[in-house]
Amino acid sequence: MRPPLPAAYDASAIAAHYYTAEGAAALRGRVASISVTVVRALVPGTPLHMSIEALGPSVIKFGQALANRPDLVGRAIADDLRLLQDSCTPFALADVQRIIREDLPPAAADEVLAALPERPAAAASLGQVYRLSLPSYASPVALKLLRPGARETIAMDSLLARAAAGWLQSLRWPPTASGARLLKPALVAAVDEFFSRLFEEMDYANERANLAKFGALYRPGQPAARALAATARRRRGEAGATVAAAAEIVLPQALPGHSGGRCLAMTWVEGEPLLPRGDATLPPSSLPLVRFGIDATLSQMLEEGVMHADPHGGNLLRAPSRTLSRPQRALRALLRRPPLPPRLAYLDFGLVSEVPLQVREIRARFALGCSRLPSDEPSSGAPLRVSPESEPSGGFRCSL
């Protein structure tokens, strides 16, 4: 009997699944598909994002990362690759309906199917998202569904990549057992790490837990959110009296009643991309929001140790300013307060890393050392300050 694919990444279990006659046939088919796609990509005029998309979700992840680096690949290529972040080819509506029927309780499935539009709002490497209006909720709902066959494709890619990495890692010169390795990096370990994170992204129960963990720190009123707001108030003087510094993170709320193993329902978050397609640079008006995003990343990486690990352009949005009542708007105008700034929205919590305290301390000390290096340029802000917390956990807090 053929062993099942594991829910979490396990190289041995994946190998056992495919080292059968049926599994070997599937692997040969995957190799043939990759070969044909590569040949087609060589045809002049084939858009790069279409070629990468055809290679499957494992390769799409690299394309999404390169889309954030116009300095490396050029503006035109980066703009083309941004389509991989939210505009991949959607899978069939019949598959969507089948997943919803199989994954959700009957009443929830009926409610979702009655409101389901024909086309998704966004489609990426591992899934696609629909915007729904459900009677059960006052606000719009985002329903994310796992792409059919994604787990199988990624499992086969992991097996092929691991074999290639093992071969490259075994190369020696002179080509004897006592020869020195030609490639020093631990390639097999790197492959294992990459694919273990992809398997994490396909675990929607894990994503709900990540969202709850992140929200406990960064929803309005929570400890890390208050610390970020204090940093933003210090920034206000640097930005000038007419500009309010961004000071709030917007997060979706998971809706467990309409979620399952391949479906994840959340509240819909309004917003627009930080960098519109066709643009390779941000306008000066967006810099306060970018600065807030940097502060938020430093907070996650150095202070709290809970870090959104997939912050590409499809997962970060410029959310609208908080809505004020008419009296509140009149009072702000009377006091000549600057307009409320936009907020920073985080989406997709399939990848959230926990940074151990010891690693955070080392990074903070390194940053502190860098801030003390001699510079020909005048300092644009206060140096990094690291101070011990009074909390029993022995954490620390830093500010720039």
Side-chain angles (χ1 to χ4, degrees):
M1 182 178 177
R2 189 182 184 191
L5 270 179
Y9 179 75
D10 183 327
S12 299
I14 292 171
H17 179 80
Y18 284 103
Y19 287 169
T20 61
E22 185 181 353
L27 281 172
R28 287 195 296 271
R30 178 62 180 151
V31 171
S33 174
I34 293 173
S35 302
V36 170
T37 302
V38 170
V39 171
R40 287 176 177 171
L42 300 177
V43 176
T46 304
L48 181 59
H49 80 273
M50 292 180 63
S51 300
I52 291 177
E53 183 182 344
L55 289 170
S58 306
V59 184
I60 290 174
K61 285 296 178 183
F62 289 102
Q64 290 174 340
L66 288 175
N68 297 328
R69 299 300 306 268
D71 55 318
L72 294 180
V73 299
R75 294 185 180 186
I77 291 177
D79 198 47
D80 180 57
L81 292 179
R82 283 193 201 109
L83 293 169
L84 298 172
Q85 296 177 343
D86 59 10
S87 300
C88 291
T89 304
F91 51 91
L93 183 60
D95 288 327
V96 172
Q97 294 168 335
R98 175 180 54 80
I99 291 171
I100 292 170
R101 283 287 184 205
E102 293 174 354
D103 232 43
L104 299 182
D110 289 340
E111 186 180 16
V112 167
L113 290 172
L116 189 71
E118 289 188 7
R119 294 191 61 81
S125 57
L126 298 177
Q128 59 195 39
V129 178
Y130 288 87
R131 189 180 193 273
L132 308 176
S133 295
L134 299 180
S136 302
Y137 304 100
S139 302
V141 171
L143 182 70
K144 182 162 75 169
L145 296 105
L146 185 64
R147 189 174 287 275
R151 189 179 302 276
E152 291 76 9
T153 301
I154 288 173
M156 287 188 285
D157 288 351
S158 73
L159 205 57
L160 297 171
R162 210 169 190 273
W167 176 76
L168 289 171
Q169 200 168 282
S170 69
L171 295 177
R172 296 178 179 274
W173 189 261
T176 63
S178 59
R181 279 177 51 187
L182 290 178
L183 299 173
K184 298 298 184 184
L187 299 180
V188 173
V191 167
D192 286 341
E193 175 66 18
F194 174 73
F195 283 99
S196 68
R197 302 316 297 269
L198 286 185
F199 267 75
E200 281 183 38
E201 281 199 77
M202 295 185 287
D203 184 349
Y204 284 176
N206 177 66
E207 182 166 353
R208 291 197 299 273
N210 286 341
L211 179 54
K213 187 190 311 178
F214 196 90
L217 293 169
Y218 290 101
R219 291 193 191 280
Q222 298 302 321
R226 293 198 301 269
L228 276 175
T231 300
R233 286 193 292 271
R234 290 196 295 270
R235 297 288 194 200
R236 192 167 297 159
E238 302 172 16
T242 60
V243 179
E248 188 177 333
I249 286 176
V250 180
L251 302 174
Q253 184 78 46
L255 306 173
H258 289 74
S259 299
R262 293 172 293 170
C263 299
L264 177 57
M266 299 169 285
T267 53
W268 183 268
V269 175
E270 299 289 351
E272 58 187 25
L274 296 180
L275 188 63
R277 288 199 182 96
D279 295 337
T281 56
L282 286 166
S285 60
S286 295
L287 293 182
L289 189 62
V290 172
R291 172 171 281 182
F292 175 69
I294 294 172
D295 287 339
T297 299
L298 290 172
S299 168
Q300 297 163 40
M301 184 172 60
L302 298 180
E303 294 181 357
E304 306 302 336
V306 177
M307 183 175 179
H308 191 294
D310 193 20
H312 63 67
N315 292 340
L316 294 175
L317 298 179
R318 179 189 179 97
S321 305
R322 186 176 287 279
T323 303
L324 298 178
S325 64
R326 184 175 295 179
Q328 288 173 323
R329 293 196 301 269
L331 180 61
R332 289 187 68 87
L334 182 64
L335 297 176
R336 296 184 178 180
R337 296 280 176 83
L340 287 177
R343 299 174 292 169
L344 183 65
Y346 281 81
L347 307 177
D348 193 349
F349 288 81
L351 288 182
V352 170
S353 297
E354 293 194 12
V355 186
L357 177 61
Q358 184 179 10
V359 175
R360 284 181 272 151
E361 289 176 337
I362 291 171
R363 287 176 173 176
R365 289 181 183 128
F366 175 77
L368 180 61
C370 289
S371 71
R372 291 174 172 171
L373 290 175
S375 174
D376 295 332
E377 299 294 332
S379 175
S380 59
L384 181 71
R385 296 187 297 277
V386 182
S387 59
E389 289 276 25
S390 59
E391 300 173 0
S393 62
F396 64 91
R397 192 165 297 281
C398 64
S399 60
L400 289 172

